[in-house]
Amino acid sequence: QVQLVESGGGLVQAGGSLRLSCAASGRTFSNYAMGWFRQAPGKEREFVSAISWIGGSPVYADSVKGRFTVSRDNAKNTLYLQMNSLKPEDTAVYYCAAPEKREIKVVTATSYDYWGQGTQVTVSS
């Protein structure tokens, strides 16, 4: 059974940093892209970032480019999201996601088959 478990969320002041982790179990995702999405209250889930499998370049939403960094440790089957210079508009529940297929549109939520339970990030002004 595949499980994705996020951690690292919390309350931080604007300008601060957080590092999210997503530990995967039940399957090895080293040969698959993995992504981060977020959902703010009253809004649809939106793409944040994704990283392809070994050797691939990361992809970022324009709203987080230059502030967030996605990375992965395939030996630990873990995905990370380093978030710097946080803004109040970054407040949301953050989800990690993984697909069944290798070739996917990484920015599209429907490309992913497995989702974590989410971790809350709250940025105060």
Side-chain angles (χ1 to χ4, degrees), residues 14-31:
S17 298
L18 285 173
R19 188 193 195 205
L20 305 183
S21 299
C22 171
S25 61
R27 197 178 113 186
T28 298
F29 287 102
S30 58
N31 290 332

Side-chain angles (χ1 to χ4, degrees), residues 28-34 50-58 72 74 99 101-104 106:
T28 298
F29 287 102
S30 58
N31 290 332
Y32 297 82
M34 293 187 73
I51 187 167
S52 65
W53 62 292
I54 298 174
S57 298
R72 64 193 301 169
N74 288 329
K101 299 178 181 179
R102 289 191 181 180
E103 298 296 327
I104 63 167
V106 297

